[in-house]
Structures are given as structure tokens and as C-alpha cells.
């Protein structure tokens, strides 16, 4: 049996997850994703060989990234959120996106995965009557606060998260250490209308980063530029300003140590 979540400062708190296929594959399976979805480490944002089969099956339906909250990214987030009202949507709205506000401590990894799996083309790979299917169905008519409360109280979601909490390459940090790490899980998903969505439970709502063409997936050059690459570029500019010098191509991301997992269609078998 997985260990239960803790209550810390009056809030349910999970164990922090690592972002890699060894953790996210069993978590997705426990939640109810079909094995026709496969999970792959992103080894490069620009190398065509590493972004193509056999290294990376295409299309990439969603991208789950864990990113340190650097000064550059923090300032950008504050500036963006300053002019945005709290999300007031219900259902899938006209955007076709379901977004959850995070109210569970250190659940950003499982909520990020949830955003990847219940939106866009990946949702077609959800097993009927699974935890994912039930969460999605219950979430559709609810507003932001009610939706967050529903997920907070969902025992199957908690069980799935905690069941993989001890997996990974390193020991999971305790809650205090995890707070100090200052890392955020972010999901990038291509919606049914072609828009690239940035989904994170600690923001004010879903953020549209632009429109992708019919043949462009979440790891296409344009999607990377609008999504994860935008954050890398923010860091590069900040580091160059601090150092007073131009970075070479190999150092263009400065000290931004992110980990990215692609969720792909194909490479697995239905059982």
C-alpha cells in the first residue's frame, strides 16, 4: 500500500515526483491511460536526430516539464499574471481545455500529467471508467474552486500519485526541502483547435501561447519556440544581462536545468 498523503499546515501534501518516463509511465497507467501512449525523455530541443524516431516517436501530443523558478522566469510570470483575471471558465468552454487550480501541496507532477492526459488528442487514449475518465467527466460542469475541491478529495488520484512516489533515481525530498527547491511542473498541450496551451496549476488559468499548423505537434520547431524555448530564451537574456556578455549556442539556456518528458502516440501496444 502506498503511504498516505500528509497534512502539513492544514493542507493535504503529496510526495514530490521525479519527471521521467520511469515514474510517469506507471502513474499514467494507474490513472487509466492506455499503453498506446508512451513516455520519452527529451534529449534535445533542436537536434533533428534526437527529435525523430527511434529516439522520439511522433506525433508528440503533450510535453511535461519541470523547471526551476529562476529570477527571469519568476519576473515574467508576475508580469503576465498581473493583467490576467482568475480563471472563471466551466466545462471545456470554447477552448476545449480543462484546467485545474492546484490546492494539494507538491501535487504539481501528477496535476501536470493530468493536464497532459485529459486534454488534446491524448484524451482519446483514456480507458473508459478509469480514474482519468471519471475525473474528466466530473470536472467538466464545475467551476475553478469546485473543480480543485473535487480533485483534492479524490482518493483514487491520491493513491495513484503516492503509489509512484518512491520511484525514480533519487530519494524523494521531504516537504520542507521540496519547498526550497522552487521547481514547477508545466504541461504543454496542443488543443483541438491547434492552439498551444501552457497549463500549470499555480497560475491564474490556462495560457494560450499561439497557434500551431495541422502538421505541427508539441515538439515542432514552432511549438518549442512558443513554449519551453520561450522560457529558455528568457533565461539566456537574463544571464547575458547579468554577465554583460553574449552566450554561445551551447550555453544559450544559461543555468536552466529542466527535465522534459514527451507523451507520444505510438510505440506501445493495447492490452
Amino acid at each position: 500500500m502506498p503511504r498516505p498523503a500528509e497534512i502539513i499546515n492544514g493542507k493535504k501534501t503529496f510526495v514530490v515526483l521525479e519527471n521521467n518516463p520511469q515514474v510517469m509511465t506507471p502513474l499514467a497507467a494507474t490513472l487509466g491511460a492506455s499503453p498506446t501512449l508512451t513516455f520519452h525523455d527529451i534529449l534535445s530541443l533542436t537536434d533533428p536526430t534526437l527529435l525523430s524516431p527511434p529516439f522520439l516517436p511522433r506525433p508528440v501530443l503533450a510535453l511535461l516539464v519541470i523547471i526551476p523558478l529562476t529570477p527571469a522566469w519568476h519576473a515574467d510570470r508576475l508580469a503576465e499574471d498581473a493583467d490576467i483575471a482568475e480563471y472563471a471558465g466551466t466545462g471545456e468552454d470554447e477552448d476545449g481545455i480543462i484546467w485545474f487550480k492546484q490546492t494539494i501541496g507538491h501535487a504539481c507532477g501528477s496535476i501536470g500529467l493530468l493536464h497532459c492526459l485529459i486534454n488534446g488528442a491524448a484524451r482519446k487514449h483514456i480507458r473508459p471508467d478509469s480514474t482519468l475518465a471519471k475525473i474528466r467527466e466530473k470536472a467538466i460542469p464545475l467551476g475553478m474552486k469546485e473543480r480543485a475541491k473535487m480533485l483534492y478529495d479524490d482518493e483514487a488520484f491520491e493513491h495513484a500519485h503516492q503509489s509512484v512516489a518512491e520511484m525514480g533515481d533519487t530519494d524523494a525530498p521531504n516537504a520542507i526541502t521540496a519547498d526550497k527547491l522552487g521547481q514547477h511542473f508545466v504541461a504543454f498541450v496542443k488543443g483541438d483547435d491547434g492552439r498551444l496551451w501552457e497549463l500549470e496549476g499555480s497560475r491564474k488559468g490556462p495560457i494560450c501561447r499561439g497557434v500551431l499548423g495541422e502538421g505541427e505537434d508539441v515538439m515542432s520547431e514552432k511549438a518549442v519556440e512558443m513554449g519551453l524555448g520561450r522560457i529558455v530564451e528568457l533565461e539566456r537574456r537574463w544571464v547575458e544581462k547579468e554577465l554583460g556578455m553574449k552566450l554561445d549556442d551551447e550555453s544559450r539556456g544559461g543555468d536552466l536545468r529542466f527535465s522534459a518528458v514527451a507523451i507520444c502516440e505510438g510505440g506501445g501496444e493495447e492490452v
Side-chain angles (χ1 to χ4, degrees), residues 61-77:
L61 306 183
L63 185 69
L64 183 61
V65 190
I66 186 170
I67 311 171
L69 188 61
T70 63
W73 190 34
H74 181 57
D76 179 75
R77 290 158 64 94

Side-chain angles (χ1 to χ4, degrees), residues 222-241:
K222 185 176 180 181
V224 171
E225 180 180 342
M226 295 189 300
L228 177 56
R230 189 189 75 88
I231 302 172
V232 172
E233 181 66 11
L234 284 171
E235 184 68 10
R236 181 190 67 80
R237 292 178 182 176
W238 186 87
V239 171
E240 287 185 343
K241 181 179 179 181

Side-chain angles (χ1 to χ4, degrees), residues 257-269:
R257 294 187 176 94
F258 63 85
S259 172
V261 172
I263 300 172
C264 303
E265 188 175 59
E269 296 182 357

